Amino acid sequence: MLELPTQHDRNPDGVATSVSPALQVTNIHKSFNRRRLGLSVLEGVTLRVEQGEFVSIVGPSGCGKSTLFHIIGGLVQPDSGEVWMNGQEVTGERGHISFMPQQPALFPWRTIEDNVILAQEVKGISKREARMDAREWIAKVGLSGFEKAYPHMLSGGMQQRAAFLRALLSPEELMCLDEPFSALDALTRSDMQRWLLDMWEENRRSILLITHNIEEALLLSNRIYVFSSRPGTVLQEIEVPFSRPRQETMTEDPTFLGLKRELSALMKEEQRKMQILR
Amino acid sequence: MRLWWNKIWPPLVAVLFLLGIWQLCTSLFEIEKWILPSPINIAREAISGSAGLWQHTLATVRLTGVGFTIGTSVGLLIAIVLHRIPFLKSALYPLLILSQNVPTIALAPLLMIWFGFGLLPKVIVITLVCFFPVAIAMMGGLRQTDPIMLSYMRMIGASNRQIFLKLELPHALPSLFSGIKIAATYSVMGAVIAEWIGSDKGIGYYMMLQKSSYRTDRMFIAIAIIVVLSLTMFAMIALLEKWFARWNQRQ
């Protein structure tokens, strides 16, 4: 059967034990100089993603989430702090994550099949080998028949599936998803959330998801970090108390609704602070 | 096929119509043949002198082909180098534009003095007119690389080389082709100018020869051949573009 490039020993809960975390970010500080004014974007952010864990970051817009992703991806050097992955320090190094951006960013001159293998190609895996793998997966994510189609022939939801598959097939253990569904309409979005949930529960990769949708974060993740408005810090860390596989009915559970209300209040408060600062 | 025909017949009819008026005018107003020969006169002359014309045309085609290939390659190379090294770009970009302000007609005799009457000065003339549209179009295409795709490639750790080969180059192809199409038509003009200045064969040389003996009909033949050559070059590049950028045809 199909196997993901990286596999780890996991306890029945699906979370690996006694292995170093997939991602450990320690005390990250970052500020940008604009018009000689130091603008502090991240102030002492610490978070971790265990092997095979699904972690979300929620926060008001402009809380430095994207900067944090750029630091994890190695595009931006933090002023201080460290990024560790699988027991190795990788601060400022590129090429250790698999990534799914906000827009699908599929290359219009590549067929879906060739788009999906792009991350593997960049990692130096031969096209032929990657394609064989990709064909089976394309069918699994419900895109069979579109292998030779170009991206513009696909709907928004289908394009995001292809973009997700591209990230999934990348050999890096940690997947970073940057608000992957924010550009979709509400219906497609909830469809895609369910789909992602199923995909993840089958494959158990380590995922760090940025979102500003609280329900999405609660539905999908094991843990949630709530970020404050700028400068970004971790306000709160929440263990999501629902068992897996997650049921559709969970969104009506009183605990779920309670958590959602609590988090919404927290976010609104932060958003309000932002506006006062402006 | 039908679609192609639908596209081709309106301009064809227009050209035939204009030729008809021309023919009518020359016989109606009894215009002297050495001032304006009629289309039928020109066609007759072309057929009778076809053997010699063929030789000249072949020479021009060969020169155009060599010059166009070298010119386009130079343009491409300049664009890639300047794109990769931003400092060079800011230093040399104004010079590139300056190179287009020097009229080819003024430069060609100089090149003949420096490099003689062989192939080299002619190729340089064609290169000078060809490289510019290619370089400018290519640089524009490379600069407009989709920032989201670029940031994606960086996030997954692609090297500069991979970014160039897998993203920037294919992204720039449509703009590159619009530059190459211009260069293709320019290259014929460049070849004719080069032959004007110093050559013993080719359409440009033929034109100079006929001009000195007031053979207006033959001048028109030369013009017709140049037009056909330009159109052929253009069509070939357009076909190539269709194949290379087939993903870009949304309709």
Side-chain angles (χ1 to χ4, degrees), chain A residues 69-70 73 75 94-95 97 99 101 103 105-110 118-119 121-123 150 152 166, chain B residues 148-149 151-160 162-163 166-168 170-171 246-250:
Chain A
F69 256 29
H70 283 158
L75 296 197
R94 300 199 294 139
I97 58 163
F99 180 57
Q103 279 91 6
L106 299 170
F107 292 6
W109 53 88
R110 284 180 169 238
L118 179 66
E121 238 182 278
V122 165
K123 284 280 159 318
Y150 289 98
H152 67 87
R166 179 176 62 184
Chain B
I148 295 166
M149 294 179 190
S151 122
Y152 168 75
M153 284 298 267
R154 292 216 176 104
M155 277 298 268
I156 63 166
S159 64
N160 279 340
Q162 284 173 326
I163 289 176
K166 292 184 198 301
L167 173 60
E168 292 177 318
H171 199 277
R246 50 195 183 283
W247 54 271
N248 205 18
Q249 278 131 35
R250 282 173 186 237

Side-chain angles (χ1 to χ4, degrees), chain A residues 158-183:
Chain A
M158 287 164 101
Q159 288 188 15
Q160 277 300 18
R161 277 180 212 207
F164 178 79
L165 183 53
R166 179 176 62 184
L168 187 72
L169 290 179
S170 167
E172 313 300 338
E173 166 63 21
L174 179 71
M175 293 176 74
C176 294
L177 317 184
D178 185 4
E179 302 190 23
F181 307 136
S182 60

Side-chain angles (χ1 to χ4, degrees), chain B residues 72-93 96 131 134-136 138-140 142-143 164 168-169 176:
Chain B
T72 306
S73 315
V74 168
L76 212 66
L77 206 74
I78 288 177
I80 291 171
V81 169
L82 294 200
H83 176 71
R84 293 298 289 274
I85 311 169
F87 171 74
L88 270 188
K89 186 173 176 181
S90 53
L92 295 183
Y93 199 83
L96 282 189
F131 91 93
V134 175
I136 295 297
M138 183 68 179
M139 275 192 275
L142 288 174
R143 208 183 39 234
F164 180 74
E168 292 177 318
L169 193 63
L176 172 64

